Amino acid sequence: MQKPVIIDCDPGHDDALALLLAGADRSLNVLGVTVIAGNQTLDKTTANTLKILEKANLSWPVYAGYAEPLLRKPVTAPEVHGETGLDGPELPEPVRSPEPQHAVEFLIEAVQTSSEPVTLIPTGPLTNVAAALLGAPSICDNIDKIVFMGGAAVGGNWSPAAEFNILVDPDAAHVVMQSSVEKTMIGLDVTEKALIYDSDIETIRELDNPVAITAAELLDFFAQYHRKKGLPGSPLHDPLAVAAVLKPDIVTAKRLPVKIERFGEYCLGRTVVDWYRDQYEDNNTQVALDMDRLQFMDMLLAALRSYG
Ligand code: BDR
Ligand code: CA
């Protein structure tokens, strides 16, 4: 039986790869894609979602959500993703439009009416998901889990202490982390191990189908930022969240309490992981701490090959 999922994203190069990975797997029933501002403004992330779905011939409905975090000013990441949010390949303007319904209304309705508990896969700031949980707390009962890309047990990438998705909307992250829903945190601890190297990108290009070639061009652009940062490859943050839904044992995780720093001077947006209270406190977050890079690359290659 197919697993009902909703992907909430801000494409973004790695978000785009996450959508392609999900689109290649028949075990998922993607009820819809909700879009959030993050890597770029909402108009751009929405257009990018439609562009990549059209490139891959995926007809999932797309719903635009919040253009700003719950309480703070928006932050974007053009230095990583370019002015369009998806710089690199030539992608035609989308033919489709987003659905008229707001992403948060869709999230609530889709979860309420699903005959099976729904898995949410957020790969951007958590604003839409938090708004849905605040708007209709009872949906928690029909969410199987939230497998989100964000945070880090150790370190950060947008500040020394915080990862981008959480730093952009720490209040939303707080709402999600405080909720009763079961969660898996796919943070920098594992996504920075999910490195894709230039040689992997060449292997993808050699698959020689239009979707794989676009993926390789996206990865070429994404690599420029990470090369400047001195990394040997690019971290495939968001695809790893999808991979962890498709194949949970691709990550090794530990159940640990996670709180969000919302008021810190230096540590705003930090996911504060309590390593010492794992067995004392009631908590519902699995923190991914290790991952299988080779298996992950195999999954990605197989997915991109399937578009041929
Ligand atoms: C996260 O931030 C975004 O730039 C990426 O798309 C990913 O979701 C990594 O910190
Ligand atoms: Ca993202």
Side-chain angles (χ1 to χ4, degrees):
M1 202 175 73
Q2 286 187 308
K3 188 194 283 279
V5 305
I6 297 172
I7 301 173
D8 183 76
C9 59
D10 63 334
H13 294 70
D14 52 336
D15 301 80
L17 268 290
L19 292 169
L20 295 178
L21 182 58
D25 200 300
R26 300 280 167 262
S27 70
L28 298 184
N29 173 17
V30 180
L31 304 176
V33 179
T34 54
V35 186
I36 185 70
N39 288 323
Q40 260 301 351
T41 52
L42 182 68
D43 54 338
K44 293 182 183 177
T45 55
T46 305
N48 291 343
T49 304
L50 289 163
K51 286 180 190 175
I52 202 74
L53 296 187
E54 286 180 13
K55 181 81 203 180
N57 215 5
L58 296 164
S59 55
W60 306 324
V62 171
Y63 302 83
Y66 272 83
E68 297 196 355
L70 290 182
L71 303 173
R72 298 169 201 251
K73 297 255 174 291
V75 179
T76 57
E79 49 277 73
V80 188
H81 301 277
E83 277 312 311
T84 65
L86 212 51
D87 276 13
E90 282 292 321
L91 290 168
E93 284 308 305
V95 176
R96 280 204 288 149
S97 301
E99 304 297 314
Q101 195 178 24
H102 190 280
V104 173
E105 282 174 24
F106 166 74
L107 273 164
I108 293 172
E109 197 178 289
V111 173
Q112 279 172 340
T113 56
S114 176
S115 54
E116 293 294 319
V118 178
T119 298
L120 305 186
I121 315 177
T123 63
L126 287 160
T127 322
N128 287 338
V129 176
L133 298 180
L134 290 171
S138 63
I139 63 171
C140 291
D141 299 338
N142 206 29
I143 297 176
D144 183 36
K145 352 179 153 136
I146 300 179
V147 180
F148 68 98
M149 190 283 133
V154 178
N157 63 355
W158 220 247
S159 82
E163 180 279 328
F164 179 81
N165 290 338
I166 306 297
L167 184 58
V168 171
D169 198 343
D171 311 294
H174 171 71
V175 170
V176 172
M177 298 315 288
Q178 292 286 97
S179 76
S180 61
V181 180
E182 174 71 19
K183 290 166 280 278
T184 302
M185 178 170 120
I186 305 293
L188 300 176
D189 315 284
V190 279
T191 66
E192 289 186 342
K193 293 178 184 162
L195 291 177
I196 186 156
Y197 301 118
D198 286 348
S199 55
D200 302 311
I201 300 175
E202 288 321 307
T203 309
I204 289 173
R205 207 183 320 274
E206 282 160 15
L207 292 173
D208 203 24
N209 70 63
V211 173
I213 291 169
T214 296
E217 289 171 356
L218 286 169
L219 289 163
D220 288 340
F221 185 89
F222 199 47
Q224 292 173 26
Y225 172 82
H226 298 100
R227 207 171 285 133
K228 276 188 231 143
K229 292 274 165 205
L231 292 174
S234 302
L236 287 185
H237 306 285
D238 297 340
L240 188 59
V242 171
V245 171
L246 294 172
K247 206 167 184 322
D249 67 3
I250 204 146
V251 295
T252 312
K254 189 165 183 205
R255 191 168 284 281
L256 293 167
V258 182
K259 302 279 189 284
I260 307 296
E261 175 57 69
R262 287 177 297 148
F263 308 108
E265 186 179 356
Y266 300 110
C267 296
L268 179 69
R270 184 178 175 87
T271 42
V272 181
V273 172
D274 190 340
W275 297 90
Y276 299 101
R277 278 173 191 77
D278 52 340
Q279 69 277 58
Y280 303 122
E281 197 171 321
D282 183 25
N283 80 84
N284 50 24
T285 305
Q286 292 279 359
V287 178
L289 296 171
D290 205 359
M291 58 85 60
D292 184 337
R293 196 194 88 87
L294 289 181
Q295 208 187 356
F296 175 57
M297 282 304 145
D298 285 348
M299 272 175 92
L300 191 66
L301 264 182
L304 293 171
R305 185 177 294 115
S306 77
Y307 287 100

Coordinates of all heavy atoms in Angstrom, one line a residue, residues 10 14-15 39 123-124 165 238, ligand 2:
D10 N 10.9 24.6 -0.2 CA 11.2 25.9 -0.6 C 12.3 25.9 -1.7 O 13.4 26.4 -1.5 CB 11.7 26.8 0.6 CG 13.0 26.3 1.2 OD1 13.3 25.0 1.1 OD2 13.8 27.1 1.8
D14 N 18.4 21.6 -3.4 CA 18.3 20.3 -2.8 C 16.8 19.9 -2.6 O 16.5 18.7 -2.7 CB 19.1 20.2 -1.5 CG 18.8 21.4 -0.5 OD1 18.4 22.4 -1.0 OD2 19.0 21.2 0.7
D15 N 15.9 20.9 -2.4 CA 14.5 20.6 -2.4 C 14.1 20.0 -3.7 O 13.3 19.1 -3.8 CB 13.7 21.9 -2.2 CG 14.0 22.7 -0.9 OD1 15.1 23.4 -1.0 OD2 13.3 22.5 0.0
N39 N 14.5 29.6 0.8 CA 15.7 29.8 -0.1 C 15.5 31.0 -1.0 O 16.5 31.7 -1.3 CB 16.0 28.6 -0.9 CG 16.5 27.4 -0.1 OD1 17.3 27.7 0.8 ND2 16.1 26.2 -0.4
T123 N 11.0 20.4 4.1 CA 12.4 20.6 3.8 C 12.7 22.1 3.7 O 13.7 22.5 3.0 CB 12.7 19.9 2.5 OG1 11.9 20.5 1.4 CG2 12.5 18.4 2.5
G124 N 11.9 22.9 4.3 CA 12.1 24.4 4.4 C 11.8 24.9 5.8 O 11.6 24.0 6.7
N165 N 17.0 26.4 8.0 CA 15.5 26.2 8.1 C 15.0 26.6 9.5 O 13.9 27.2 9.6 CB 15.1 24.8 7.8 CG 15.3 24.5 6.3 OD1 15.3 25.4 5.5 ND2 15.4 23.2 6.0
D238 N 18.0 18.1 1.7 CA 16.6 17.7 1.6 C 16.3 16.3 1.1 O 15.4 15.7 1.6 CB 15.9 18.8 0.8 CG 16.0 20.2 1.5 OD1 16.2 20.2 2.7 OD2 15.8 21.2 0.8
Ligands
CA2 CA 15.1 23.4 1.6

